[in-house]
Amino acid sequence: MKTFLKIVVLLGLAVYFIMAITLLNSPKEGAVCQGVDTVVDDSLQTGFIRSNEVREILTKAKMFPEGCLLDDIDLKKLEETLLKSPYIDRALCYKTADDRICIRVNPLSPVLHVMNAEGEDYYLDSKGKVMPRNGYQADLVVVTGHVSKEFARKNLTALGRFIQRDAFWNKQIQQINVLKNGEIELTPRIGNHTILLGRASSFREKLARMRTFYTEGLDKAGWNKYAVIDLRYDNQIVCTRRK
């Protein structure tokens, strides 16, 4: 009997929530949007998109909903319009109980700043999407050299994510340079040497070896003893002494 009553209560609550959501999103006939609330969920505080810019996007598209009949507002189209921005990753629009529209957006998260040999200048996000710079400034690892957008997306996105999320490497690496043959070299913030990573494949294993070498080798020999530290070979670290 108790189990039956629990099931009845749960079903009743489910019906209540469904009806509440339905009523909330089915406004009274003739009701007008009383205002728009915009929320930017920017956990990394990148500053690439702000509330006023969200409003500008919809205003330019002649879709800003304030003052419009709630029945005429297409929430899906609002979201689709916002997602056309090269700085927005996700968008959610919904109606509130007090006849307002709430807009929540998540910006893209840049992980690398690319300034290649061809003069291109842009950011690369954590999913490999190109973000135009347009005057924005972000303190990120800089990518230079012979790197196309396709190469950056395929070969550097995962590396950029790794460096940004790893506390040690995020503080240590300041530049990624791509050579003509497609190999990668890293410039550290501490230590007057270049790290020759080679191809981007197996970069986690290579950097794990390098981190061990930092703590067990360079701490004793000196961080400026070598000019080049080569990680291209399996289970090896080849060092070139400074002349």
Side-chain angles (χ1 to χ4, degrees), residues 13-27:
L13 288 172
V15 171
Y16 170 79
F17 283 121
I18 292 172
M19 291 180 65
I21 292 172
T22 301
L23 290 172
L24 184 62
N25 287 278
S26 301

Side-chain angles (χ1 to χ4, degrees), residues 83 88-92 104-108 127:
L83 289 174
I88 295 177
D89 183 28
R90 286 176 291 177
L92 175 64
R104 302 186 72 97
V105 300
N106 292 86
L108 292 168
K127 298 178 181 179

Side-chain angles (χ1 to χ4, degrees), residues 20 28 87 240:
K28 302 182 293 294
Y87 305 109
T240 303

